[in-house]
Amino acid sequence: MFAITPRISNDFGLFNLFDDIEDPYSRYHQRNLLPVQFGDGTIGHIGGRIGGSQVENADKEFRIRLDLSHYKPEEIKINMDSHKVTVHAKHEERQDNHGFVTREMTRTYKLPKDVDLKSASSTMNANGTLSIKLSKTAVEASKEVNIPVEIKQ
């Protein structure tokens, strides 16, 4: 008698295709590419990585959003001078789902020249998104000046 043995074959990704058909958003969930809503109501995406950030340089304000969901507010330090903002976050060893972890990150952002350093503020929402805002200094609008014409004789 003959024995029938199953053949091991390469499926050439066919089963992955079937998995995507069942859940077309699975790859987006794995990479965290789906949009998120920030605390101020704006929509964006962090990119699913620790320290992912978004910078917005608008006419009236300069804003930085930074994903610091693995840190508590007391573990975050923000330093600023006239040229840059530096965010440093660090937590000591703590237990997570996979064992123990220690995290530390530093990110520096160049500031535009027209920000008002005294207006700097930061908030952290419940999702761990840190927002840093700086108002822009008022740019004086050009004023029309009349120059009288002198008559020389």
Side-chain angles (χ1 to χ4, degrees), residues 32-49 51-56 63-69 109 123-133:
N32 290 327
L33 296 177
L34 292 176
V36 295
Q37 185 170 8
F38 294 107
D40 60 0
T42 58
I43 304 287
H45 95 66
I46 293 288
R49 59 187 191 275
S53 67
Q54 182 180 43
V55 176
E56 182 182 341
R63 180 186 300 185
I64 300 168
R65 289 187 192 102
L66 183 62
D67 175 20
L68 295 177
S69 56
Y109 300 90
T123 57
M124 188 170 191
N125 68 16
N127 295 329
T129 301
L130 177 71
S131 294
I132 301 171
K133 295 179 186 180

Side-chain angles (χ1 to χ4, degrees), residues 67-86:
D67 175 20
L68 295 177
S69 56
H70 292 284
Y71 301 95
K72 298 175 186 173
E74 58 269 13
E75 298 170 332
I76 301 167
K77 293 182 181 171
I78 304 169
N79 295 313
M80 181 177 60
D81 63 24
S82 61
H83 304 292
K84 66 184 182 298
V85 172
T86 301

Side-chain angles (χ1 to χ4, degrees), residues 84-123:
K84 66 184 182 298
V85 172
T86 301
V87 179
H88 180 82
K90 179 180 181 179
H91 72 69
E92 299 302 322
E93 186 175 279
R94 65 172 72 141
Q95 191 168 1
D96 69 359
N97 297 337
H98 305 286
F100 292 90
V101 64
T102 300
R103 290 185 181 93
E104 181 174 11
M105 62 81 60
T106 301
R107 189 174 289 263
T108 301
Y109 300 90
K110 184 178 178 183
L111 290 173
K113 293 179 181 180
D114 59 344
V115 294
D116 179 14
L117 298 177
K118 294 177 184 175
S119 71
S121 66
S122 69
T123 57

